PDB file of all heavy atoms in Angstrom:
ATOM      1  N   GLY A  18     -16.335  28.385  -6.234  1.00 91.00           N
ATOM      2  CA  GLY A  18     -16.802  28.448  -4.755  1.00 91.00           C
ATOM      3  C   GLY A  18     -15.930  29.074  -3.793  1.00 91.00           C
ATOM      4  O   GLY A  18     -16.290  29.275  -2.532  1.00 91.00           O
ATOM      5  N   GLU A  19     -14.735  29.507  -4.098  1.00 94.00           N
ATOM      6  CA  GLU A  19     -13.817  30.099  -3.183  1.00 94.00           C
ATOM      7  C   GLU A  19     -14.324  31.364  -2.456  1.00 94.00           C
ATOM      8  O   GLU A  19     -13.932  31.696  -1.233  1.00 94.00           O
ATOM      9  CB  GLU A  19     -12.408  30.365  -3.776  1.00 94.00           C
ATOM     10  CG  GLU A  19     -12.379  31.427  -4.770  1.00 94.00           C
ATOM     11  CD  GLU A  19     -12.616  30.931  -6.331  1.00 94.00           C
ATOM     12  OE1 GLU A  19     -13.226  29.838  -6.453  1.00 94.00           O
ATOM     13  OE2 GLU A  19     -12.137  31.579  -7.170  1.00 94.00           O
ATOM     14  N   SER A  20     -15.252  32.082  -3.072  1.00 93.00           N
ATOM     15  CA  SER A  20     -15.759  33.214  -2.402  1.00 93.00           C
ATOM     16  C   SER A  20     -16.604  32.930  -1.193  1.00 93.00           C
ATOM     17  O   SER A  20     -17.021  33.837  -0.426  1.00 93.00           O
ATOM     18  CB  SER A  20     -16.538  34.072  -3.456  1.00 93.00           C
ATOM     19  OG  SER A  20     -17.715  33.357  -3.976  1.00 93.00           O
ATOM     20  N   ARG A  21     -17.100  31.729  -1.094  1.00 92.00           N
ATOM     21  CA  ARG A  21     -17.854  31.303   0.062  1.00 92.00           C
ATOM     22  C   ARG A  21     -17.166  31.075   1.328  1.00 92.00           C
ATOM     23  O   ARG A  21     -17.679  30.711   2.379  1.00 92.00           O
ATOM     24  CB  ARG A  21     -18.695  30.034  -0.314  1.00 92.00           C
ATOM     25  CG  ARG A  21     -19.591  30.222  -1.441  1.00 92.00           C
ATOM     26  CD  ARG A  21     -20.401  28.803  -1.716  1.00 92.00           C
ATOM     27  NE  ARG A  21     -20.963  28.876  -2.962  1.00 92.00           N
ATOM     28  CZ  ARG A  21     -20.735  27.986  -3.929  1.00 92.00           C
ATOM     29  NH1 ARG A  21     -19.904  26.909  -3.712  1.00 92.00           N
ATOM     30  NH2 ARG A  21     -21.302  28.005  -5.072  1.00 92.00           N
ATOM     31  N   PHE A  22     -15.832  31.256   1.313  1.00 94.00           N
ATOM     32  CA  PHE A  22     -14.996  30.862   2.411  1.00 94.00           C
ATOM     33  C   PHE A  22     -14.133  32.055   2.746  1.00 94.00           C
ATOM     34  O   PHE A  22     -13.674  32.807   1.916  1.00 94.00           O
ATOM     35  CB  PHE A  22     -14.198  29.632   2.037  1.00 94.00           C
ATOM     36  CG  PHE A  22     -15.038  28.391   1.852  1.00 94.00           C
ATOM     37  CD1 PHE A  22     -15.430  28.159   0.561  1.00 94.00           C
ATOM     38  CD2 PHE A  22     -15.418  27.624   2.895  1.00 94.00           C
ATOM     39  CE1 PHE A  22     -16.198  27.037   0.345  1.00 94.00           C
ATOM     40  CE2 PHE A  22     -16.204  26.501   2.710  1.00 94.00           C
ATOM     41  CZ  PHE A  22     -16.601  26.165   1.494  1.00 94.00           C
ATOM     42  N   ASP A  23     -13.787  32.178   4.053  1.00 94.00           N
ATOM     43  CA  ASP A  23     -12.868  33.228   4.531  1.00 94.00           C
ATOM     44  C   ASP A  23     -11.425  32.879   4.055  1.00 94.00           C
ATOM     45  O   ASP A  23     -10.746  33.777   3.748  1.00 94.00           O
ATOM     46  CB  ASP A  23     -12.942  33.256   6.066  1.00 94.00           C
ATOM     47  CG  ASP A  23     -14.315  33.748   6.553  1.00 94.00           C
ATOM     48  OD1 ASP A  23     -14.996  34.522   5.765  1.00 94.00           O
ATOM     49  OD2 ASP A  23     -14.721  33.293   7.678  1.00 94.00           O
ATOM     50  N   LYS A  24     -11.048  31.727   4.198  1.00 96.00           N
ATOM     51  CA  LYS A  24      -9.736  31.245   3.871  1.00 96.00           C
ATOM     52  C   LYS A  24      -9.783  29.884   3.133  1.00 96.00           C
ATOM     53  O   LYS A  24     -10.644  29.141   3.372  1.00 96.00           O
ATOM     54  CB  LYS A  24      -8.787  31.040   5.045  1.00 96.00           C
ATOM     55  CG  LYS A  24      -8.617  32.371   5.864  1.00 96.00           C
ATOM     56  CD  LYS A  24      -7.837  33.324   5.140  1.00 96.00           C
ATOM     57  CE  LYS A  24      -7.619  34.568   6.016  1.00 96.00           C
ATOM     58  NZ  LYS A  24      -7.076  35.672   5.224  1.00 96.00           N
ATOM     59  N   VAL A  25      -8.750  29.691   2.188  1.00 97.00           N
ATOM     60  CA  VAL A  25      -8.640  28.414   1.530  1.00 97.00           C
ATOM     61  C   VAL A  25      -7.346  27.804   1.742  1.00 97.00           C
ATOM     62  O   VAL A  25      -6.275  28.494   1.709  1.00 97.00           O
ATOM     63  CB  VAL A  25      -8.850  28.702  -0.003  1.00 97.00           C
ATOM     64  CG1 VAL A  25      -8.553  27.399  -0.809  1.00 97.00           C
ATOM     65  CG2 VAL A  25     -10.270  29.237  -0.371  1.00 97.00           C
ATOM     66  N   VAL A  26      -7.433  26.489   2.171  1.00 97.00           N
ATOM     67  CA  VAL A  26      -6.248  25.795   2.329  1.00 97.00           C
ATOM     68  C   VAL A  26      -6.189  24.660   1.141  1.00 97.00           C
ATOM     69  O   VAL A  26      -7.137  23.968   0.971  1.00 97.00           O
ATOM     70  CB  VAL A  26      -6.230  24.925   3.690  1.00 97.00           C
ATOM     71  CG1 VAL A  26      -5.082  24.089   3.865  1.00 97.00           C
ATOM     72  CG2 VAL A  26      -6.390  25.987   4.841  1.00 97.00           C
ATOM     73  N   ALA A  27      -5.005  24.661   0.481  1.00 96.00           N
ATOM     74  CA  ALA A  27      -4.910  23.663  -0.711  1.00 96.00           C
ATOM     75  C   ALA A  27      -3.817  22.733  -0.291  1.00 96.00           C
ATOM     76  O   ALA A  27      -2.817  23.185   0.028  1.00 96.00           O
ATOM     77  CB  ALA A  27      -4.588  24.421  -1.984  1.00 96.00           C
ATOM     78  N   ILE A  28      -4.078  21.452  -0.350  1.00 94.00           N
ATOM     79  CA  ILE A  28      -3.076  20.413  -0.126  1.00 94.00           C
ATOM     80  C   ILE A  28      -3.090  19.584  -1.437  1.00 94.00           C
ATOM     81  O   ILE A  28      -4.163  19.110  -1.850  1.00 94.00           O
ATOM     82  CB  ILE A  28      -3.415  19.570   1.079  1.00 94.00           C
ATOM     83  CG1 ILE A  28      -3.440  20.404   2.335  1.00 94.00           C
ATOM     84  CG2 ILE A  28      -2.422  18.405   1.185  1.00 94.00           C
ATOM     85  CD1 ILE A  28      -3.812  19.730   3.625  1.00 94.00           C
ATOM     86  N   SER A  29      -1.862  19.451  -2.020  1.00 92.00           N
ATOM     87  CA  SER A  29      -1.787  18.793  -3.223  1.00 92.00           C
ATOM     88  C   SER A  29      -0.776  17.573  -3.038  1.00 92.00           C
ATOM     89  O   SER A  29      -0.041  17.489  -2.011  1.00 92.00           O
ATOM     90  CB  SER A  29      -1.149  19.720  -4.271  1.00 92.00           C
ATOM     91  OG  SER A  29      -0.924  19.070  -5.553  1.00 92.00           O
ATOM     92  N   ALA A  30      -0.758  16.729  -4.049  1.00 88.00           N
ATOM     93  CA  ALA A  30       0.286  15.701  -4.093  1.00 88.00           C
ATOM     94  C   ALA A  30       0.556  15.383  -5.604  1.00 88.00           C
ATOM     95  O   ALA A  30      -0.203  15.799  -6.493  1.00 88.00           O
ATOM     96  CB  ALA A  30      -0.261  14.434  -3.424  1.00 88.00           C
ATOM     97  N   ASP A  31       1.571  14.755  -5.902  1.00 86.00           N
ATOM     98  CA  ASP A  31       2.057  14.386  -7.283  1.00 86.00           C
ATOM     99  C   ASP A  31       0.766  13.550  -7.908  1.00 86.00           C
ATOM    100  O   ASP A  31       0.182  12.718  -7.141  1.00 86.00           O
ATOM    101  CB  ASP A  31       3.269  13.601  -7.344  1.00 86.00           C
ATOM    102  CG  ASP A  31       4.425  14.493  -7.069  1.00 86.00           C
ATOM    103  OD1 ASP A  31       4.386  15.648  -7.294  1.00 86.00           O
ATOM    104  OD2 ASP A  31       5.498  13.908  -6.510  1.00 86.00           O
ATOM    105  N   PRO A  32       0.642  13.693  -9.164  1.00 79.00           N
ATOM    106  CA  PRO A  32      -0.525  12.922  -9.813  1.00 79.00           C
ATOM    107  C   PRO A  32      -0.299  11.387  -9.503  1.00 79.00           C
ATOM    108  O   PRO A  32      -1.298  10.703  -9.309  1.00 79.00           O
ATOM    109  CB  PRO A  32      -0.378  13.258 -11.214  1.00 79.00           C
ATOM    110  CG  PRO A  32       0.318  14.599 -11.213  1.00 79.00           C
ATOM    111  CD  PRO A  32       1.210  14.589 -10.047  1.00 79.00           C
ATOM    112  N   GLU A  33       0.823  10.783  -9.503  1.00 79.00           N
ATOM    113  CA  GLU A  33       1.015   9.443  -9.244  1.00 79.00           C
ATOM    114  C   GLU A  33       0.535   9.044  -7.925  1.00 79.00           C
ATOM    115  O   GLU A  33      -0.060   7.994  -7.680  1.00 79.00           O
ATOM    116  CB  GLU A  33       2.528   8.976  -9.543  1.00 79.00           C
ATOM    117  CG  GLU A  33       2.978   9.307 -10.996  1.00 79.00           C
ATOM    118  CD  GLU A  33       3.342  10.696 -11.194  1.00 79.00           C
ATOM    119  OE1 GLU A  33       3.680  11.484 -10.199  1.00 79.00           O
ATOM    120  OE2 GLU A  33       3.428  11.162 -12.447  1.00 79.00           O
ATOM    121  N   VAL A  34       0.920   9.848  -6.892  1.00 79.00           N
ATOM    122  CA  VAL A  34       0.551   9.639  -5.505  1.00 79.00           C
ATOM    123  C   VAL A  34      -0.955   9.662  -5.451  1.00 79.00           C
ATOM    124  O   VAL A  34      -1.654   8.793  -4.841  1.00 79.00           O
ATOM    125  CB  VAL A  34       1.227  10.631  -4.613  1.00 79.00           C
ATOM    126  CG1 VAL A  34       0.719  10.455  -3.239  1.00 79.00           C
ATOM    127  CG2 VAL A  34       2.759  10.444  -4.666  1.00 79.00           C
ATOM    128  N   ARG A  35      -1.605  10.715  -6.041  1.00 75.00           N
ATOM    129  CA  ARG A  35      -3.059  10.792  -5.954  1.00 75.00           C
ATOM    130  C   ARG A  35      -3.731   9.581  -6.583  1.00 75.00           C
ATOM    131  O   ARG A  35      -4.709   9.108  -6.056  1.00 75.00           O
ATOM    132  CB  ARG A  35      -3.610  12.094  -6.624  1.00 75.00           C
ATOM    133  CG  ARG A  35      -3.227  13.332  -5.855  1.00 75.00           C
ATOM    134  CD  ARG A  35      -4.208  14.406  -6.356  1.00 75.00           C
ATOM    135  NE  ARG A  35      -4.033  14.680  -7.761  1.00 75.00           N
ATOM    136  CZ  ARG A  35      -3.297  15.569  -8.396  1.00 75.00           C
ATOM    137  NH1 ARG A  35      -2.433  16.218  -7.638  1.00 75.00           N
ATOM    138  NH2 ARG A  35      -3.233  15.668  -9.681  1.00 75.00           N
ATOM    139  N   ALA A  36      -3.279   9.110  -7.750  1.00 74.00           N
ATOM    140  CA  ALA A  36      -3.797   7.995  -8.431  1.00 74.00           C
ATOM    141  C   ALA A  36      -3.653   6.680  -7.531  1.00 74.00           C
ATOM    142  O   ALA A  36      -4.727   5.956  -7.550  1.00 74.00           O
ATOM    143  CB  ALA A  36      -3.125   7.749  -9.753  1.00 74.00           C
ATOM    144  N   GLU A  37      -2.543   6.491  -6.915  1.00 77.00           N
ATOM    145  CA  GLU A  37      -2.413   5.344  -6.042  1.00 77.00           C
ATOM    146  C   GLU A  37      -3.266   5.397  -4.881  1.00 77.00           C
ATOM    147  O   GLU A  37      -3.913   4.445  -4.494  1.00 77.00           O
ATOM    148  CB  GLU A  37      -0.984   5.389  -5.512  1.00 77.00           C
ATOM    149  CG  GLU A  37      -0.549   4.328  -4.686  1.00 77.00           C
ATOM    150  CD  GLU A  37       0.859   4.258  -4.237  1.00 77.00           C
ATOM    151  OE1 GLU A  37       1.820   4.395  -5.030  1.00 77.00           O
ATOM    152  OE2 GLU A  37       1.134   4.121  -3.034  1.00 77.00           O
ATOM    153  N   ARG A  38      -3.464   6.593  -4.270  1.00 73.00           N
ATOM    154  CA  ARG A  38      -4.366   6.805  -3.081  1.00 73.00           C
ATOM    155  C   ARG A  38      -5.802   6.589  -3.472  1.00 73.00           C
ATOM    156  O   ARG A  38      -6.640   6.042  -2.655  1.00 73.00           O
ATOM    157  CB  ARG A  38      -4.156   8.114  -2.479  1.00 73.00           C
ATOM    158  CG  ARG A  38      -2.865   8.244  -1.825  1.00 73.00           C
ATOM    159  CD  ARG A  38      -2.727   9.628  -1.222  1.00 73.00           C
ATOM    160  NE  ARG A  38      -1.335   9.911  -0.615  1.00 73.00           N
ATOM    161  CZ  ARG A  38      -0.962  11.087  -0.359  1.00 73.00           C
ATOM    162  NH1 ARG A  38      -1.534  12.109  -0.631  1.00 73.00           N
ATOM    163  NH2 ARG A  38       0.301  11.152   0.256  1.00 73.00           N
ATOM    164  N   ARG A  39      -6.174   7.050  -4.684  1.00 69.00           N
ATOM    165  CA  ARG A  39      -7.559   6.999  -5.113  1.00 69.00           C
ATOM    166  C   ARG A  39      -8.038   5.514  -5.379  1.00 69.00           C
ATOM    167  O   ARG A  39      -9.087   5.175  -5.050  1.00 69.00           O
ATOM    168  CB  ARG A  39      -7.574   7.808  -6.391  1.00 69.00           C
ATOM    169  CG  ARG A  39      -9.051   8.126  -6.848  1.00 69.00           C
ATOM    170  CD  ARG A  39      -9.182   8.871  -8.102  1.00 69.00           C
ATOM    171  NE  ARG A  39      -8.473  10.253  -7.874  1.00 69.00           N
ATOM    172  CZ  ARG A  39      -7.835  10.878  -8.870  1.00 69.00           C
ATOM    173  NH1 ARG A  39      -7.855  10.318 -10.056  1.00 69.00           N
ATOM    174  NH2 ARG A  39      -7.306  12.028  -8.576  1.00 69.00           N
ATOM    175  N   GLY A  40      -7.153   4.778  -5.906  1.00 65.00           N
ATOM    176  CA  GLY A  40      -7.477   3.341  -6.147  1.00 65.00           C
ATOM    177  C   GLY A  40      -8.553   2.979  -7.175  1.00 65.00           C
ATOM    178  O   GLY A  40      -9.031   2.020  -7.311  1.00 65.00           O
ATOM    179  N   VAL A  41      -8.907   4.105  -8.057  1.00 61.00           N
ATOM    180  CA  VAL A  41      -9.944   3.841  -9.123  1.00 61.00           C
ATOM    181  C   VAL A  41      -9.387   4.425 -10.391  1.00 61.00           C
ATOM    182  O   VAL A  41      -8.503   5.260 -10.305  1.00 61.00           O
ATOM    183  CB  VAL A  41     -11.371   4.439  -8.783  1.00 61.00           C
ATOM    184  CG1 VAL A  41     -11.905   3.791  -7.537  1.00 61.00           C
ATOM    185  CG2 VAL A  41     -11.211   6.053  -8.569  1.00 61.00           C
ATOM    186  N   ARG A  42      -9.895   3.974 -11.540  1.00 60.00           N
ATOM    187  CA  ARG A  42      -9.495   4.577 -12.695  1.00 60.00           C
ATOM    188  C   ARG A  42      -9.921   5.995 -12.774  1.00 60.00           C
ATOM    189  O   ARG A  42     -10.936   6.453 -12.331  1.00 60.00           O
ATOM    190  CB  ARG A  42     -10.266   3.914 -13.856  1.00 60.00           C
ATOM    191  CG  ARG A  42      -9.882   2.481 -14.209  1.00 60.00           C
ATOM    192  CD  ARG A  42     -10.555   1.968 -15.350  1.00 60.00           C
ATOM    193  NE  ARG A  42     -11.835   2.632 -15.687  1.00 60.00           N
ATOM    194  CZ  ARG A  42     -12.839   2.081 -16.372  1.00 60.00           C
ATOM    195  NH1 ARG A  42     -12.624   0.832 -16.885  1.00 60.00           N
ATOM    196  NH2 ARG A  42     -13.932   2.724 -16.564  1.00 60.00           N
ATOM    197  N   VAL A  43      -9.044   6.803 -13.458  1.00 59.00           N
ATOM    198  CA  VAL A  43      -9.314   8.272 -13.583  1.00 59.00           C
ATOM    199  C   VAL A  43      -9.948   8.540 -14.914  1.00 59.00           C
ATOM    200  O   VAL A  43     -10.844   9.413 -14.976  1.00 59.00           O
ATOM    201  CB  VAL A  43      -7.952   9.025 -13.431  1.00 59.00           C
ATOM    202  CG1 VAL A  43      -8.288  10.498 -13.684  1.00 59.00           C
ATOM    203  CG2 VAL A  43      -7.371   8.783 -12.118  1.00 59.00           C
ATOM    204  N   ASP A  44      -9.734   7.833 -16.019  1.00 61.00           N
ATOM    205  CA  ASP A  44     -10.397   8.093 -17.272  1.00 61.00           C
ATOM    206  C   ASP A  44     -10.418   9.473 -17.746  1.00 61.00           C
ATOM    207  O   ASP A  44     -11.381   9.971 -18.225  1.00 61.00           O
ATOM    208  CB  ASP A  44     -11.776   7.627 -17.216  1.00 61.00           C
ATOM    209  CG  ASP A  44     -11.857   5.944 -16.992  1.00 61.00           C
ATOM    210  OD1 ASP A  44     -10.871   5.379 -17.337  1.00 61.00           O
ATOM    211  OD2 ASP A  44     -12.858   5.558 -16.423  1.00 61.00           O
ATOM    212  N   GLY A  45      -9.335  10.294 -17.509  1.00 63.00           N
ATOM    213  CA  GLY A  45      -9.258  11.709 -17.953  1.00 63.00           C
ATOM    214  C   GLY A  45     -10.035  12.609 -17.175  1.00 63.00           C
ATOM    215  O   GLY A  45     -10.150  13.796 -17.504  1.00 63.00           O
ATOM    216  N   ARG A  46     -10.511  12.157 -15.974  1.00 66.00           N
ATOM    217  CA  ARG A  46     -11.259  13.155 -15.170  1.00 66.00           C
ATOM    218  C   ARG A  46     -10.449  14.346 -14.738  1.00 66.00           C
ATOM    219  O   ARG A  46     -11.013  15.387 -14.616  1.00 66.00           O
ATOM    220  CB  ARG A  46     -11.700  12.411 -13.859  1.00 66.00           C
ATOM    221  CG  ARG A  46     -12.700  11.246 -14.103  1.00 66.00           C
ATOM    222  CD  ARG A  46     -13.048  10.623 -12.857  1.00 66.00           C
ATOM    223  NE  ARG A  46     -13.599   9.185 -13.138  1.00 66.00           N
ATOM    224  CZ  ARG A  46     -14.037   8.407 -12.251  1.00 66.00           C
ATOM    225  NH1 ARG A  46     -14.008   8.754 -10.999  1.00 66.00           N
ATOM    226  NH2 ARG A  46     -14.549   7.303 -12.643  1.00 66.00           N
TER     227      ARG A  46
END
């Protein structure tokens, strides 16, 4: 889908931080 946008901003975090923020099981997603 990136071609649908003029610019792309990506913000990332360590997997552990994302899992903590998500608060749900990931199950290999």
Side-chain angles (χ1 to χ4, degrees):
E19 65 270 24
S20 64
R21 296 183 197 122
F22 297 91
D23 297 326
K24 299 292 180 188
V25 173
V26 178
I28 299 177
S29 178
D31 288 333
E33 299 80 23
V34 172
R35 285 197 311 265
E37 182 180 311
R38 290 175 181 164
R39 192 178 300 147
V41 297
R42 289 186 333 204
V43 177
D44 297 333
R46 296 176 197 184

